[in-house]
PDB file of all heavy atoms in Angstrom:
ATOM      1  N   ASP A  76       1.989  25.680  27.410  1.00 80.00           N
ATOM      2  CA  ASP A  76       2.836  24.979  28.431  1.00 80.00           C
ATOM      3  C   ASP A  76       3.733  25.956  29.154  1.00 80.00           C
ATOM      4  O   ASP A  76       4.523  25.525  30.009  1.00 80.00           O
ATOM      5  CB  ASP A  76       3.656  23.926  27.769  1.00 80.00           C
ATOM      6  CG  ASP A  76       2.809  22.865  27.044  1.00 80.00           C
ATOM      7  OD1 ASP A  76       1.760  22.510  27.655  1.00 80.00           O
ATOM      8  OD2 ASP A  76       3.188  22.443  25.945  1.00 80.00           O
ATOM      9  N   ALA A  77       3.614  27.243  28.889  1.00 85.00           N
ATOM     10  CA  ALA A  77       4.607  28.197  29.423  1.00 85.00           C
ATOM     11  C   ALA A  77       4.574  28.272  30.945  1.00 85.00           C
ATOM     12  O   ALA A  77       5.613  28.420  31.595  1.00 85.00           O
ATOM     13  CB  ALA A  77       4.373  29.585  28.803  1.00 85.00           C
ATOM     14  N   PHE A  78       3.366  28.207  31.549  1.00 82.00           N
ATOM     15  CA  PHE A  78       3.254  28.429  32.977  1.00 82.00           C
ATOM     16  C   PHE A  78       2.855  27.204  33.720  1.00 82.00           C
ATOM     17  O   PHE A  78       2.509  27.230  34.912  1.00 82.00           O
ATOM     18  CB  PHE A  78       2.244  29.542  33.241  1.00 82.00           C
ATOM     19  CG  PHE A  78       2.515  30.803  32.526  1.00 82.00           C
ATOM     20  CD1 PHE A  78       1.658  31.296  31.510  1.00 82.00           C
ATOM     21  CD2 PHE A  78       3.617  31.562  32.813  1.00 82.00           C
ATOM     22  CE1 PHE A  78       1.949  32.452  30.844  1.00 82.00           C
ATOM     23  CE2 PHE A  78       3.899  32.733  32.181  1.00 82.00           C
ATOM     24  CZ  PHE A  78       3.058  33.175  31.146  1.00 82.00           C
ATOM     25  N   ALA A  79       2.788  26.041  33.063  1.00 76.00           N
ATOM     26  CA  ALA A  79       2.329  24.839  33.711  1.00 76.00           C
ATOM     27  C   ALA A  79       3.354  24.140  34.587  1.00 76.00           C
ATOM     28  O   ALA A  79       3.023  23.481  35.541  1.00 76.00           O
ATOM     29  CB  ALA A  79       1.833  23.815  32.616  1.00 76.00           C
ATOM     30  N   GLY A  80       4.636  24.307  34.281  1.00 77.00           N
ATOM     31  CA  GLY A  80       5.648  23.569  34.968  1.00 77.00           C
ATOM     32  C   GLY A  80       6.299  24.242  36.130  1.00 77.00           C
ATOM     33  O   GLY A  80       6.917  23.590  36.962  1.00 77.00           O
ATOM     34  N   GLU A  81       6.130  25.561  36.266  1.00 80.00           N
ATOM     35  CA  GLU A  81       6.813  26.265  37.401  1.00 80.00           C
ATOM     36  C   GLU A  81       5.939  27.438  37.849  1.00 80.00           C
ATOM     37  O   GLU A  81       5.084  27.929  37.100  1.00 80.00           O
ATOM     38  CB  GLU A  81       8.162  26.774  36.966  1.00 80.00           C
ATOM     39  CG  GLU A  81       8.152  27.774  35.806  1.00 80.00           C
ATOM     40  CD  GLU A  81       9.542  28.265  35.422  1.00 80.00           C
ATOM     41  OE1 GLU A  81      10.162  28.916  36.249  1.00 80.00           O
ATOM     42  OE2 GLU A  81      10.001  27.946  34.315  1.00 80.00           O
ATOM     43  N   ALA A  82       6.113  27.824  39.085  1.00 85.00           N
ATOM     44  CA  ALA A  82       5.371  28.927  39.617  1.00 85.00           C
ATOM     45  C   ALA A  82       5.784  30.237  38.936  1.00 85.00           C
ATOM     46  O   ALA A  82       6.915  30.398  38.487  1.00 85.00           O
ATOM     47  CB  ALA A  82       5.611  29.059  41.154  1.00 85.00           C
ATOM     48  N   LEU A  83       4.792  31.133  38.819  1.00 89.00           N
ATOM     49  CA  LEU A  83       5.016  32.382  38.112  1.00 89.00           C
ATOM     50  C   LEU A  83       6.029  33.240  38.833  1.00 89.00           C
ATOM     51  O   LEU A  83       5.909  33.551  40.045  1.00 89.00           O
ATOM     52  CB  LEU A  83       3.694  33.115  37.981  1.00 89.00           C
ATOM     53  CG  LEU A  83       3.686  34.389  37.120  1.00 89.00           C
ATOM     54  CD1 LEU A  83       3.883  34.039  35.686  1.00 89.00           C
ATOM     55  CD2 LEU A  83       2.399  35.118  37.352  1.00 89.00           C
ATOM     56  N   THR A  84       7.039  33.699  38.122  1.00 90.00           N
ATOM     57  CA  THR A  84       8.071  34.638  38.671  1.00 90.00           C
ATOM     58  C   THR A  84       8.426  35.627  37.576  1.00 90.00           C
ATOM     59  O   THR A  84       8.201  35.403  36.382  1.00 90.00           O
ATOM     60  CB  THR A  84       9.353  33.891  39.064  1.00 90.00           C
ATOM     61  OG1 THR A  84       9.952  33.297  37.909  1.00 90.00           O
ATOM     62  CG2 THR A  84       9.105  32.824  40.100  1.00 90.00           C
ATOM     63  N   PRO A  85       8.968  36.783  37.953  1.00 92.00           N
ATOM     64  CA  PRO A  85       9.433  37.751  36.943  1.00 92.00           C
ATOM     65  C   PRO A  85      10.454  37.149  35.964  1.00 92.00           C
ATOM     66  O   PRO A  85      10.390  37.362  34.791  1.00 92.00           O
ATOM     67  CB  PRO A  85      10.031  38.852  37.787  1.00 92.00           C
ATOM     68  CG  PRO A  85       9.260  38.805  39.063  1.00 92.00           C
ATOM     69  CD  PRO A  85       9.029  37.361  39.318  1.00 92.00           C
ATOM     70  N   ALA A  86      11.390  36.324  36.507  1.00 92.00           N
ATOM     71  CA  ALA A  86      12.410  35.686  35.593  1.00 92.00           C
ATOM     72  C   ALA A  86      11.740  34.730  34.633  1.00 92.00           C
ATOM     73  O   ALA A  86      12.107  34.702  33.485  1.00 92.00           O
ATOM     74  CB  ALA A  86      13.452  34.983  36.443  1.00 92.00           C
ATOM     75  N   GLY A  87      10.726  33.991  35.094  1.00 92.00           N
ATOM     76  CA  GLY A  87      10.028  33.095  34.214  1.00 92.00           C
ATOM     77  C   GLY A  87       9.270  33.826  33.133  1.00 92.00           C
ATOM     78  O   GLY A  87       9.255  33.432  31.981  1.00 92.00           O
ATOM     79  N   LEU A  88       8.654  34.961  33.470  1.00 94.00           N
ATOM     80  CA  LEU A  88       7.960  35.768  32.483  1.00 94.00           C
ATOM     81  C   LEU A  88       8.913  36.325  31.420  1.00 94.00           C
ATOM     82  O   LEU A  88       8.584  36.320  30.234  1.00 94.00           O
ATOM     83  CB  LEU A  88       7.283  36.946  33.182  1.00 94.00           C
ATOM     84  CG  LEU A  88       5.890  36.691  33.759  1.00 94.00           C
ATOM     85  CD1 LEU A  88       5.423  37.911  34.502  1.00 94.00           C
ATOM     86  CD2 LEU A  88       4.922  36.313  32.701  1.00 94.00           C
ATOM     87  N   ARG A  89      10.102  36.700  31.829  1.00 95.00           N
ATOM     88  CA  ARG A  89      11.084  37.203  30.852  1.00 95.00           C
ATOM     89  C   ARG A  89      11.435  36.076  29.848  1.00 95.00           C
ATOM     90  O   ARG A  89      11.583  36.329  28.659  1.00 95.00           O
ATOM     91  CB  ARG A  89      12.315  37.742  31.551  1.00 95.00           C
ATOM     92  CG  ARG A  89      13.352  38.278  30.588  1.00 95.00           C
ATOM     93  CD  ARG A  89      14.453  39.040  31.275  1.00 95.00           C
ATOM     94  NE  ARG A  89      15.322  39.685  30.307  1.00 95.00           N
ATOM     95  CZ  ARG A  89      15.922  40.848  30.480  1.00 95.00           C
ATOM     96  NH1 ARG A  89      15.715  41.495  31.603  1.00 95.00           N
ATOM     97  NH2 ARG A  89      16.679  41.339  29.524  1.00 95.00           N
TER      98      ARG A  89
END
Side-chain angles (χ1 to χ4, degrees):
D76 300 321
F78 306 113
E81 59 180 296
L83 186 69
T84 64
L88 274 175
R89 180 170 188 146

